Each structure stands twice: as C-alpha cells, then as structure tokens.
Amino acid sequence: GVSCAQSERRTRQRRISAGGKNVVVWEHRIFSLLKIPMLLSSASSHPLTSLPDECFFPDRTEECARIGRFLESSNHLILTGPKGSGKTSLVLTAVRATGRPFVYVDVSQALSVTDLAALLLQSFLSLFAPERFRDLVAGFRAWPSITYDAETNAFDVSFPASANPDAVLEDVLSILEKKCDPERRLVVILDEFQEILSLGAGLDGKLRAILLLQENINYVFVGSRESAMTELFENVRSPFFHFGLVMRPAELPRDEIAQRIAEHWAPVAKEKAKDLVEKILAVTNARPLYTRMLTEAVEEAFRREADDPAAYALDLLLSRHDLDYERRWRSFNLTNRKVLEAVSRGAPLHTVSERESTVYTAAGRLVKEGVLIRTTRYEVEDPFFALWIRRQRQRAVLSSASPGF
C-alpha cells in the first residue's frame, strides 16, 4: 500500500542497441498523489502572491537584443558580474528569444572533467528524442550510462570511472558540433565558467584547443568571480585570451525595482510598503538573488503578521544560515577576519590594524575567492553574511545594561 504522503514510482527499462553495445535507459513516471497548497494567514484579507520575476528584472529588452544580435555572428560572449546580479537570467532570456537550441551547464556543479562532459551530454540529449541515442553516442570511446525520466523529459548521464577524461570531453564536444543544425547554430552556455580552473591543471588549454575546431556553435561564458574571469579572458598568457566579447550586465534600475515591489505589496503593507522596500534594498543593493531571498522572507513575515516584517525577515534568514556562516567565519585566518569585519561595516581598509601591504593582499585574495567584490569600494559578496558579521561583533560584548543579559 502507498500512503497519502508518498508518491508512486513506476519504472520501465529499455535497451537501445548501438554499434554492438547496449544503452540502458530507465524511464521513470512519477505520479503525485497529494498536493498541499500554501496556506496564508486566515486573518489576512489580502491573499499574497509571490513576486513575479518582473519585479526583480525590469525591462532588459535592450540588453537581450544586444546579446541576440551578437550571437548572430560566429563569435563568443563572456558575461561577468557579481553573484546574484541577474547574469544567468539575462542570458537565458536573450537566448530563448532567438528561438535557437541551447545547452546550459553550471560548471560549478561538475565534480571532475568527466562529470563536466556528462553534464554537457545530459543537457544536449534533451534536445532529441530517446530514439536518437544510437546515432548520438555510437562513436564514443567510453560508453555512457544514461537514465531517462519520461515524465520530465530529463536525462541523467554518467561515464565509467575508468574512462579517459580528455577523450570523454572531446567526444561530447565533438557530438555537439556534428549534430547541431548549421542553419540554427547551437548556443552553449557555461555558467560559473571560472570553476574549470579547479577541475584539473591544463583543462583551459585542452578545452580551448577543442573549441577552436568548432564552427557551428556560439559559446556564452558566464562567471561571478570577476577576478578569475579576467584572468581567463584578459590575461595574454591564458589560452582563452580574447576568445570573445566581454560584457557586463547593465546596472539594474533600483527605483523601478522598488516601485514594482511596493505596488505588489501595497494591499498588505499599505502605506508602509514603500519604506519597507527601501529597507530591503538598503541591505541587498537591489541585486536580484538576494532581493528575492529577502522578499520571500518578508512575505513569510506578512503571513505571520509580524509587527516589523523587515526585522523578522532578516532574523529568519540569519537564523537559517547561522551555522553555515559560523563555519565560514572560522575558516578564515585572523587577517582575513579583520578585513571582513572592516568591509562589513563600510570602513576603509587603511583602518585595519595590520600592515597595509598585508591587508590589501588579503583583500585581493578574498576578491579572487569570491568572498569580497570590488566596485567603487570593497563589499562582502553576500550581504547577509556581512550583516551576520556585524551582529556577531555586537554580541561579542555584553554588560549588565545589555538587553537579555
């Protein structure tokens, strides 16, 4: 028997012969037996709906059109910017608008070169019917294990641990080139591309050698660690030096974002909506990823009928991530902690009690690791981590006059 809290999974196995070998394909059909709707507070007279994407990404028609026009050429695109600034959303929107087939892979999720190849093949297979497997992988030097979910039309791919990583990657990238339509050039989006540097020494050179042979693919390289992306594409000694056009997303219009969120919340927050949104954007600086996280927490505060939705939301987020932030903080050495503490409260680096050269070396290293970002000044990449650091500092000192002492 299946309880009402469980789902029934039915599995059917098929084998497709290709080149004297068998590809094992598992088709899963998942039937949900129970759906639980999201409940709002019964005391609220205005049911609250989640904020639409348009609130976080105002009209980006011009940027999307620019990307679309660029991809009409045979060149490649490099898009860099801080984490959570909307790069991936912008690229996907622009590529979808062209109507061309695309492959998307988040390189940061790859555990090895072989795993990167598996993720690329997994995304590419979704463009074809399962019956095409035989043609697609017949010439591979290492035979992949392929799992197909018919309900979601998704694939899971892996290669044997004994497979040669370079051969596997070359085979997969060659298939992308051979099987795509030259009239509708394939777009391959490699998100967090700077992470290839952690997958193996010399991978950037090997990858560049393969890509140079391809004529029917546009590559879009997206990265949030700007210093690493600059090293990859603007250092003359890098294999990817000048491999494409470097583009940075335009600054999002803060006032328009504030207006859209305030209008959406007006039925619940009423006249306080505008001030509430300003509090949120003061923390997130209107960066879409973190703004969405905080607004979702604020909406939870609405449901709980919290007296101060902004304070409730920040407390909620910090409590959820407290252990992660604690572990992260303890991983830094003393100099890095001093730099982070100063930057989190907006203090200039020369106020840090260390030799100036040591401080700036530490800050540069933290930028390279993606912990800090540098625009007109240094900032902690995760604004909630910056707030956590400030609060921990405040809690480090107590007196008999402190609340809750």
Side-chain angles (χ1 to χ4, degrees):
V2 180
S3 70
C4 63
Q6 295 176 320
S7 293
E8 178 182 358
R9 179 178 296 269
R10 298 175 181 175
T11 306
R12 180 161 59 91
Q13 181 182 7
R14 294 191 305 163
R15 290 184 182 270
I16 299 177
S17 178
K21 303 176 182 178
N22 286 325
V23 183
V24 179
V25 184
W26 294 88
E27 294 190 19
H28 300 292
R29 286 182 171 82
I30 302 173
F31 302 91
S32 178
L33 300 180
L34 180 65
K35 293 184 178 179
I36 303 176
M38 180 177 69
L39 299 177
L40 302 180
S41 170
S42 59
S44 175
S45 59
H46 298 283
L48 187 67
T49 59
S50 297
L51 286 162
D53 287 344
E54 291 74 17
C55 290
F56 307 100
F57 303 103
D59 188 8
R60 306 179 86 175
T61 304
E62 185 176 336
E63 282 184 288
C64 287
R66 181 186 175 195
I67 292 175
R69 289 193 300 269
F70 182 81
L71 292 178
E72 292 175 0
S73 71
S74 60
N75 295 314
H76 309 299
L77 179 65
I78 299 110
L79 190 65
T80 69
K83 181 181 178 182
S85 59
K87 303 179 299 300
T88 302
S89 174
L90 173 62
V91 167
L92 290 174
T93 300
V95 172
R96 286 189 177 113
T98 68
R100 288 164 55 184
F102 69 88
V103 165
Y104 170 88
V105 168
D106 182 348
V107 179
S108 68
Q109 297 303 307
L111 304 177
S112 63
V113 175
T114 302
D115 194 38
L116 174 60
L119 291 174
L120 283 165
L121 182 58
Q122 179 177 324
S123 180
F124 186 62
L125 286 175
S126 65
L127 301 174
F128 301 90
E131 289 72 20
R132 293 289 308 277
F133 289 175
R134 178 172 53 190
D135 295 334
L136 291 170
V137 300
F140 279 20
R141 284 167 282 185
W143 202 247
S145 172
I146 304 173
T147 305
Y148 172 51
D149 188 329
E151 185 72 16
T152 61
N153 194 34
F155 297 83
D156 183 64
V157 178
S158 62
F159 286 93
S162 59
N164 182 297
D166 295 342
V168 167
L169 184 60
E170 184 177 354
D171 286 345
V172 171
L173 291 173
S174 296
I175 285 297
L176 267 59
E177 169 75 7
K178 292 175 182 177
K179 299 300 180 180
C180 65
D181 184 354
E183 300 300 320
R184 297 177 65 241
R185 297 166 59 87
L186 179 70
V187 180
V188 177
I189 305 167
L190 298 176
D191 207 349
E192 298 300 349
F193 181 70
Q194 73 279 342
E195 299 305 320
I196 66 163
L197 298 174
S198 65
L199 293 181
L203 177 58
D204 50 351
K206 296 171 185 175
L207 190 57
R208 169 67 186 267
I210 298 172
L211 301 192
L212 282 175
L213 300 176
Q214 299 183 332
E215 299 179 350
N216 299 318
I217 299 177
N218 287 109
Y219 282 88
V220 180
F221 305 97
V222 184
S224 60
R225 287 171 50 202
E226 294 187 78
S227 60
M229 291 292 284
T230 298
E231 183 71 17
L232 272 168
F233 293 101
E234 298 182 27
N235 186 332
V236 68
R237 293 173 293 179
S238 169
F240 279 95
F241 177 63
H242 284 182
F243 194 68
L245 173 71
V246 177
M247 175 180 171
R248 289 174 174 80
E251 185 175 350
L252 292 170
R254 178 177 174 137
D255 292 344
E256 187 175 349
I257 292 173
Q259 180 181 348
R260 293 191 181 198
I261 298 176
E263 289 174 354
H264 190 82
W265 282 350
V268 177
K270 298 181 171 50
E271 69 278 357
K272 297 180 180 179
K274 186 175 181 180
D275 289 341
L276 178 58
V277 174
E278 286 303 321
K279 289 181 180 179
I280 290 169
L281 298 187
V283 174
T284 67
N285 199 25
R287 289 165 61 190
L289 172 65
Y290 297 111
T291 303
R292 185 186 291 277
M293 290 173 62
L294 189 49
T295 54
E296 287 175 352
V298 168
E299 289 171 354
E300 176 66 20
F302 288 153
R303 298 183 187 100
R304 302 284 183 177
E305 298 183 339
D307 293 333
D308 188 340
Y312 178 96
L314 286 170
D315 288 343
L316 181 63
L317 283 175
L318 292 184
S319 65
R320 287 175 178 171
H321 297 283
D322 183 64
L323 289 178
D324 291 333
Y325 289 153
E326 179 71 29
R327 283 192 291 266
R328 194 177 189 187
W329 178 255
R330 291 183 181 278
S331 71
F332 297 118
N333 62 33
L334 183 59
T335 300
N336 286 347
R337 291 184 189 183
K338 290 180 179 180
V339 170
L340 286 168
E341 191 279 326
V343 172
S344 70
R345 57 186 169 83
L349 291 184
H350 66 75
T351 63
V352 177
S353 58
E354 291 277 0
R355 291 176 54 186
E356 185 173 341
S357 60
T358 302
V359 169
Y360 280 92
T361 298
R365 184 167 55 250
L366 290 170
V367 169
K368 189 172 182 179
E369 294 171 355
V371 180
L372 296 181
I373 57 176
R374 186 177 184 182
T375 52
T376 55
R377 58 190 177 92
Y378 287 99
E379 300 175 55
V380 179
E381 185 278 325
D382 181 346
F384 306 132
F385 185 39
L387 179 59
W388 182 90
I389 294 172
R390 294 198 299 273
R391 288 194 176 185
Q392 292 299 108
R393 182 72 175 176
Q394 293 167 1
R395 293 169 181 167
V397 177
L398 291 175
S399 73
S400 57
S402 301
F405 179 76

